[in-house]
Amino acid sequence: MTTIELADADATARLGEALAHSRPAHAVVHLRGDLGAGKSTLARALLRALGVTGTIRSPTYTLVERYPLPGGGEAWHLDLYRIGDPGELEFLGLDADEVTLWLVEWPERGRGALPAADLVVDLAVAGEGRRAELRPTTSRGQAWVGAAFRHRVGADS
């Protein structure tokens, strides 16, 4: 596990950028944390750094927002806060082959109906800023965190 202190929203965005620049071809990220912990900020920064243009909407009410990625594939950003039962996800058609990046907020509400995470990011308020704990759950996730950390350290030096 890698823990990173994030002083402000800009630091959270830089973490999203580092994850984007080191992203594997296919990845599943579970974003966990209380309301206001920075999950959407991180997802938005990651998507923007991947080249998504235009409005990046929060999927709070739509449950899923789909973004075509430059170079092919799609990123799906899900917010499952309003899901009462994982069975409700069946109606979203979440088994699409074109998805190359899953960003899932509140993944515990979709337990059993989501692809397994390569990386779990736990975000929490810490004083004036945030704390991010990056926990890889696969070898792909482990390589990703290592590459993201090297990228981020290089950007901060």
Side-chain angles (χ1 to χ4, degrees):
M1 179 171 55
T2 300
T3 301
I4 301 172
E5 299 298 325
L6 304 167
D8 52 25
D10 288 340
T12 303
R14 284 192 301 276
L15 174 58
E17 292 165 5
L19 288 170
H21 293 298
S22 57
R23 176 183 73 96
H26 289 80
V28 178
V29 182
H30 288 180
L31 300 165
R32 300 178 355 164
D34 291 334
L35 290 171
K39 298 178 299 294
S40 291
T41 300
L42 181 66
R44 197 171 288 117
L46 197 158
L47 290 167
R48 188 67 68 206
L50 288 174
V52 174
T53 59
T55 303
I56 297 177
R57 293 178 289 284
S58 171
T60 300
Y61 295 102
T62 59
L63 301 182
V64 63
E65 291 290 337
R66 298 171 177 161
Y67 300 97
L69 295 175
E74 282 188 348
W76 286 14
H77 182 192
L78 290 81
D79 183 333
L80 305 183
Y81 183 73
R82 289 179 164 62
I83 293 292
D85 181 90
E88 294 176 40
L89 297 178
E90 190 175 310
F91 300 104
L92 294 179
L94 297 179
D95 58 350
D97 292 334
E98 66 270 12
V99 183
T100 57
L101 177 64
W102 295 78
L103 300 169
V104 185
E105 298 183 37
W106 304 95
E108 62 278 6
R109 295 178 185 241
R111 188 169 288 122
L114 295 170
D118 294 299
L119 176 62
V120 176
V121 179
D122 286 302
L123 292 154
V125 174
E128 296 293 317
R130 305 287 184 267
R131 176 176 298 116
E133 293 181 353
L134 284 69
R135 190 168 24 95
T137 56
T138 64
S139 58
R140 178 175 25 205
Q142 196 164 22
W144 188 10
V145 169
F149 186 69
R150 283 188 301 279
H151 174 81
R152 189 172 192 280
V153 169
D156 290 346
S157 329

